Amino acid sequence: MTTESPLIIALDYPSLDAALCMADQLDPARCRVKVGKELFTRSGPAILEALHGRGFEVFLDLKFHDIPNTVAGAVQAAAEQGVWMVNVHASGGRRMMEVAAKRLQDHNFSTHLIAVTVLTSMQAEDLNETGVVAMPEEQVMRLAMLTQQSGLGGVVCSAQEAAQINAQCGSDFLKVTPGIRPGFAAANDQQRIMTPSDAMRAGSSHLVVGRPVTQAKDPMMALAAIETELGAS
Ligand code: C5P
């Protein structure tokens, strides 16, 4: 099933059963789901099969970063399992990204390939320690442009970065944005948050929402509240 919704619900659970218990409360016509490193490492491809079997499109958020041939193989494996979106670290460089994008193209996969620029947990000092002297914002823009030049379809970015990336890379370049907090939700450990409608206005193409939906008493009601907010904006 494919959906027009910009919402991607993060299934941050330690087991297949817990993740499916949440997925069974969601409607694949109204959201996509994201599978990250912990869930995939514990449950393996079975989680993808189970989610696809329930009609969900899946963003496999494994942030690959390795030599070009290895990353291309991993991205191909994800695409063969039918995922809707997969990602790599842009800091793996142009050749790594080009070879991965070409692998998908050569096999006619429609899987979206996007990149993470700078992890939001990295501050200027952290970058500096790794030999990157640029400020995080500057490095984000540099890597977003490199991602686009390397033939990928978009980036994961904070909503604060979305407007500038939109201006530089155009509106067709996907901007997948976590750190989303509707008015009714707690910030949790997210530092820089934005409401769903502000994030869309800032140029996001997709919104990654975790706890505001998954920890709600009624997840579909929380999702409906977000849809209402988006529709009203
Ligand atoms: O629960 P919450 O809405 O904070 O979940 C956000 C999701 O997006 C989590 O899966 C988290 O790992 C992911 N993410 C993030 N910030 C980034 C990149 C990914 O919160 N910069």
Side-chain angles (χ1 to χ4, degrees):
M1 180 175 296
T2 187
T3 173
E4 297 284 296
S5 171
L7 297 174
I8 303 173
I9 308 304
L11 296 178
D12 292 323
Y13 292 97
S15 73
L16 181 136
D17 286 350
L20 292 183
C21 187
M22 173 51 54
D24 284 337
Q25 298 176 63
L26 300 172
D27 180 353
R30 287 164 63 185
C31 63
R32 297 184 174 88
V33 290
K34 179 170 90 68
V35 171
K37 285 189 169 87
E38 183 183 6
L39 178 57
F40 190 78
T41 303
R42 287 186 192 278
S43 61
I47 186 65
L48 304 180
E49 265 172 54
L51 291 167
H52 288 145
R54 284 162 170 76
F56 286 99
E57 290 185 311
V58 179
F59 171 17
L60 184 60
D61 179 18
L62 296 182
K63 302 184 181 74
F64 298 128
H65 186 173
D66 210 314
I67 58 170
N69 189 53
T70 300
V71 168
V75 162
Q76 181 178 347
E80 282 170 357
Q81 287 170 75
V83 306
W84 166 75
M85 175 177 274
V86 64
N87 59 358
V88 300
H89 268 287
S91 52
R94 181 190 296 274
R95 262 193 319 118
M96 185 200 81
M97 290 194 281
E98 279 178 351
V99 170
K102 185 163 183 309
R103 183 71 68 90
L104 291 184
Q105 252 174 27
D106 288 350
H107 290 79
N108 286 319
F109 285 118
S110 57
T111 301
H112 295 284
L113 179 61
I114 65 168
V116 175
T117 56
V118 177
L119 293 170
T120 45
S121 52
M122 299 284 275
Q123 304 191 338
E125 310 84 85
D126 303 304
L127 281 181
N128 225 287
E129 268 190 334
T130 68
V132 176
V133 287
M135 292 303 283
E137 314 79 75
E138 212 181 309
Q139 184 69 356
V140 165
M141 287 313 301
R142 183 198 305 272
L143 290 176
M145 286 191 278
L146 182 64
T147 299
Q148 189 173 43
Q149 289 162 10
S150 305
L152 276 66
V155 286
V156 179
C157 66
S158 76
Q160 281 83 0
E161 295 154 0
Q164 207 189 340
I165 295 175
N166 214 24
Q168 284 283 343
C169 303
S171 57
D172 288 345
F173 192 63
L174 302 178
K175 277 130 301 203
V176 177
T177 304
I180 299 299
R181 287 296 177 272
F184 63 80
N188 309 113
D189 52 358
Q190 294 282 10
Q191 305 285 333
R192 295 190 300 152
I193 58 175
M194 216 183 257
T195 66
S197 45
D198 285 347
M200 292 303 287
R201 264 194 292 274
S204 302
S205 56
H206 297 88
L207 308 177
V208 176
V209 185
R211 288 160 291 182
V213 167
T214 59
Q215 313 245 306
K217 265 207 193 87
D218 183 337
M220 269 318 283
M221 233 158 77
L223 195 131
I226 297 174
E227 288 172 339
T228 306
E229 191 200 314
L230 287 174
S233 64

